[in-house]
Amino acid sequence: MLSKSMQDALNRQVMLEAASSQAYLAMASWSEIQPGLDNVAEYFFLQSEEERVHMLKLIRFVNERGGFALVPALQQPIITFKGLKSMFEEFLKHEIDISQSINELVDLALKEKDYATHNFLQWYVSEQIEEERSARVLNDKLELIGNDKSGLYLFDRDIMSTRQGEQKK
Ligand code: OFO
């Protein structure tokens, strides 16, 4: 059985995963209307779906453990970006915030000796290592490319290959 504080903290994470899904959906939509960013758009559509899966896993877990998972209200995320670089900076910042929040959940699970939740959260810990890594790699590439048009063309062409290292679920 989940404690009230653990349930509240997991419900907060449900809200953050839903917000991530919305944020990446907005990035996908913005990218889709820019010339030549078709694969970047595809990348964020998939990323958005993944975040929804992360949210669902939490909802199912909270309910299975005798809690009540609360479906959060939707807030409009950032919907336009100054450019590709600033969008990817936002992506990395977002993933770093999510990692921080997962770490806080792990801390709480240990403090409460809630080993079932601690065990459940390990999947999110590994996932965040992978997602932060991808976001950093993409930001580093954009830093190198600058405004070089052929570099940006290749960035879009190759972006899906950065997902291949991730264990997709
Ligand atoms: Fe990368 O955010 Fe979900 O966990």
Side-chain angles (χ1 to χ4, degrees):
M1 181 85 186
L2 288 174
S3 70
K4 170 82 170 67
S5 51
M6 198 69 231
Q7 174 178 291
D8 291 348
L10 290 169
N11 270 326
R12 182 174 172 275
Q13 191 64 32
V14 166
M15 186 268 292
L16 292 176
E17 301 292 347
S20 301
S21 181
Q22 289 293 95
Y24 299 155
L25 189 57
M27 290 179 187
S29 180
W30 180 83
S31 305
E32 199 169 38
I33 62 159
Q34 312 303 312
L37 295 184
D38 300 359
N39 292 310
V40 170
E42 195 54 33
Y43 180 90
F44 281 109
F45 277 122
L46 288 173
Q47 203 66 33
S48 170
E49 274 176 37
E50 261 182 32
E51 299 299 348
R52 181 178 153 75
V53 171
H54 298 175
M55 175 189 71
L56 290 174
K57 269 180 179 310
L58 281 156
I59 288 178
R60 304 299 298 267
F61 179 77
V62 170
N63 288 339
E64 265 166 26
R65 304 256 349 267
F68 178 31
L70 307 178
V71 175
L74 295 179
Q75 271 202 342
Q76 188 170 49
I78 300 173
I79 54 169
T80 57
F81 302 90
K82 279 193 307 235
L84 195 61
K85 183 83 173 75
S86 73
M87 184 176 74
F88 274 87
E89 281 165 2
E90 196 55 45
F91 175 38
L92 177 58
K93 187 169 148 299
H94 197 89
E95 287 301 330
I96 290 171
D97 289 348
I98 296 290
S99 298
Q100 176 61 29
S101 150
I102 296 290
N103 289 345
E104 285 165 14
L105 284 172
V106 172
D107 274 353
L108 181 64
L110 283 176
K111 204 169 89 213
E112 294 196 356
K113 299 191 175 7
D114 180 347
Y115 299 116
T117 301
H118 182 268
N119 183 54
F120 168 76
L121 289 170
Q122 295 314 301
W123 183 87
Y124 287 85
V125 171
S126 312
E127 181 67 13
Q128 279 314 116
I129 292 171
E130 199 45 59
E131 294 204 336
E132 257 193 59
R133 185 199 65 84
S134 298
R136 270 183 223 287
V137 165
L138 292 169
N139 271 276
D140 289 349
K141 284 188 182 181
L142 285 173
E143 190 65 44
L144 277 177
I145 292 168
N147 290 324
D148 177 64
K149 286 211 162 62
S150 49
L152 290 170
Y153 168 81
L154 294 173
F155 179 85
D156 182 75
R157 193 196 65 179
D158 297 341
I159 188 167
M160 296 308 271
S161 65
T162 63
R163 292 177 56 85
Q164 279 163 12
E166 300 181 31
Q167 331 92 300
K168 292 299 130 205
K169 33 288 125 178

